Amino acid sequence: MKLLTNKHIVLGITGSIAAYKTVTLASMLTKAGARVDVVMTESAAKLVAPLTFRSVTGRGAYVDDDLWQSDSHVLHIELGQKNDAFLIAPATANTIAKLAHGLADNLLTVTALASRTPLLVAPAMDGGMYANTATQSNLETLAERGMTIIGPAEGHLASGLAGKGRMVEPEELFGRLRLALGSGGSLSGRKVVVTAGGTREPIDPVRVITNRSSGKQGYALAQAALDLGASVCLISAPTCLAAPFGVELVRVTTAAEMLTAVLDAVENADALIMAAAVADFRPADPSGEKIKKADGIPGITLEAAPDVLGTVAAIPQGRPRLTVGFAAESQNLSRNARAKISAKKLDLIVANDITSPQAGFDADTNRVTLLWADGRARELPLMSKLEVAEQILDVVVDLLEDL
Ligand code: CTP
């Protein structure tokens, strides 16, 4: 099933040239399975044709004239009351002022007044207009009423000047909408700590010992937890991935840094999901200077790196209510993984056979077996890492309910 299937999103578009970027957003949302209805002001329709939106969404792109058609008395109520999220992007200073004062003089503002979901508003305007006290005070009013103000960003403006006033990019708007859709989900009010990526242990200032973890499974877990409304702390070793919108991202490099960050984050956490590939060994005495080739091949002595889950298991107070570990195995998957459940006091372990094709490091798919502390086991078929993450989070929800 696609991510946003069954979600109905209303996109309000006002008269800023950034409206062309909302076409991309409308397309992204539609591809993710959402039903997207567009409501445009008269000036927005001068910049981008309603037909453009209709073409990418396959649904309505309404303008003021539609308010006065035969079934007009229901259109704004339909759109306002049946949406799961309502985003106005771009939102001009004029529309923001109207919203702040409860004006309803066009289809968009009348629909906004009728909406039952809190509005998301992405301002786009000239820097001076944005900085103006009137606009600032209107935005404060909207925020006080529970609306979410997204941006604006800094950079090149349509006026040719640079400053704060650019609408944020469609990718961020997509992430923020996703966050809004997740609020009120089965993990809302819960704090979930997720670790991801492979740690790096220095040999000298240039070289490191690391592993092949890409971080993809951990990042997917963070996203899946956000989608269920959790507040998520993502503790990440270096990766090339963009953090999901809405996570509290803590960047670490070594196993020791990961341990400190995890101990800090789990104190009031409901769940810790340790997807990171943490080093088991590290150079005992990393060199402060770059090791020179001319000095010959160095002998590197290794020592044990801290075991993060082992340390969390041993803390007397402040442990997370639930702990999920991962086991990357190349042989005796179940036996080795079960041994880790008891050694690390886990409620659930996610075991993956790293020799399995299309699974494990760097792949976009994974094939895992879930093993519960009480002896239950469930083998999952090959699926995307986000689907694996959703399955794991469903188990986390169940386990937390039973606690
Ligand atoms: N882990 C950890 N700290 C370490 C190593 C691993 O917290 N220094 C966590 C991993 O994040 C994972 C679980 O422990 O959730 C199991 O990791 P894995 O590497 O499979 O097992 P190890 O305990 O390191 O044992 P081995 O490498 O011998 O299989």
Side-chain angles (χ1 to χ4, degrees):
M1 194 159 96
K2 286 186 183 171
L3 195 66
L4 300 181
T5 303
N6 299 329
K7 299 293 181 196
H8 180 203
I9 294 167
V10 174
L11 281 184
I13 299 164
T14 70
S16 149
I17 185 57
Y20 81 91
K21 291 189 187 176
T22 313
V23 178
T24 306
L25 175 67
S27 166
M28 288 166 77
L29 292 166
T30 306
K31 283 183 193 149
R35 283 178 292 136
V36 181
D37 283 321
V38 168
V39 180
M40 306 180 79
T41 62
E42 207 182 307
S43 354
K46 284 184 188 153
L47 291 158
V48 181
L51 180 61
T52 309
F53 284 102
R54 269 186 231 120
S55 307
V56 297
T57 63
R59 293 180 59 87
Y62 301 103
V63 291
D64 288 352
D65 279 351
D66 295 304
L67 182 61
W68 310 114
Q69 298 306 316
S70 55
D71 56 355
S72 60
H73 61 290
V74 288
L75 179 60
H76 60 289
I77 306 293
E78 274 285 309
L79 293 171
Q81 299 197 348
K82 293 203 174 144
N83 68 73
D84 297 292
F86 191 157
L87 166 69
I88 303 184
T92 57
N94 185 39
T95 293
I96 288 168
K98 288 183 188 179
L99 294 172
H101 292 88
L103 295 183
D105 65 346
N106 60 25
L107 178 62
L108 176 55
T109 48
V110 81
T111 308
L113 264 192
S115 180
R116 289 191 178 164
T117 49
L119 273 182
L120 289 92
V121 176
M125 65 199 73
D126 165 67
M129 291 169 77
Y130 175 68
N132 190 292
T133 323
T135 307
Q136 287 301 313
S137 138
N138 288 334
L139 284 168
E140 264 167 42
T141 304
L142 299 192
E144 275 162 18
R145 287 191 200 140
M147 299 183 198
T148 304
I149 312 299
I150 307 172
E154 286 208 46
H156 176 81
L157 300 171
S159 58
L161 302 170
K164 197 164 182 183
R166 276 171 72 86
M167 185 176 83
V168 303
E169 296 302 315
E171 290 72 21
E172 175 165 356
L173 293 173
F174 185 89
R176 299 291 290 261
L177 267 171
R178 201 168 167 176
L179 207 58
L181 291 167
S183 72
S186 48
L187 284 178
S188 69
R190 307 274 199 189
K191 176 179 176 185
V192 176
V193 179
V194 179
T195 67
T199 58
R200 291 182 184 173
E201 307 299 327
I203 296 171
D204 68 12
V206 178
R207 304 168 179 101
V208 294
I209 295 180
T210 186
N211 58 67
R212 294 177 53 206
S213 169
S214 64
K216 286 179 183 171
Q217 188 60 73
Y219 275 57
L221 282 157
Q223 180 66 72
L226 286 170
D227 287 344
L228 295 178
S231 87
V232 180
C233 173
L234 173 62
I235 301 173
S236 178
T239 70
C240 302
L241 305 171
F245 285 101
V247 290
E248 177 198 346
L249 179 67
V250 180
R251 291 183 200 277
V252 297
T253 304
T254 63
E257 287 170 19
M258 184 156 283
L259 175 64
T260 308
V262 168
L263 290 177
D264 221 40
V266 293
E267 223 186 312
N268 52 359
D270 291 284
L272 166 65
I273 308 179
M274 246 345 259
V278 187
D280 289 323
F281 315 108
R282 65 185 178 192
D285 189 17
S287 168
E289 303 296 336
K290 185 182 174 198
I291 299 169
K292 301 301 287 177
K293 204 161 50 181
D295 296 337
I297 298 172
I300 298 168
T301 308
L302 299 177
E303 64 177 13
D307 185 326
V308 179
L309 274 181
T311 312
V312 170
I315 52 177
Q317 268 178 353
R319 295 187 55 209
R321 296 173 67 217
L322 190 88
T323 312
V324 179
F326 272 70
E329 306 291 348
S330 58
Q331 54 187 343
N332 299 327
L333 184 84
S334 279
R335 205 181 63 212
N336 284 337
R338 285 223 173 273
K340 287 172 191 172
I341 293 185
S342 40
K344 303 193 181 200
K345 288 200 199 150
L346 305 175
D347 300 276
L348 181 81
I349 197 155
V350 183
N352 61 342
D353 178 352
I354 52 170
T355 62
S356 157
Q358 296 167 295
F361 300 121
D362 212 26
D364 288 322
T365 50
N366 211 351
R367 188 194 302 277
V368 303
T369 302
L370 307 183
L371 300 161
W372 280 255
D374 64 11
R376 279 177 293 158
R378 187 189 301 158
E379 216 176 295
L380 300 180
L382 185 73
M383 51 178 77
S384 75
K385 286 188 171 170
L386 183 61
E387 286 168 324
V388 169
E390 287 169 351
Q391 298 272 341
I392 295 168
L393 264 306
D394 282 348
V395 175
V396 167
V397 170
D398 286 348
L399 287 171
L400 282 173
E401 269 168 13
D402 291 346
L403 283 178

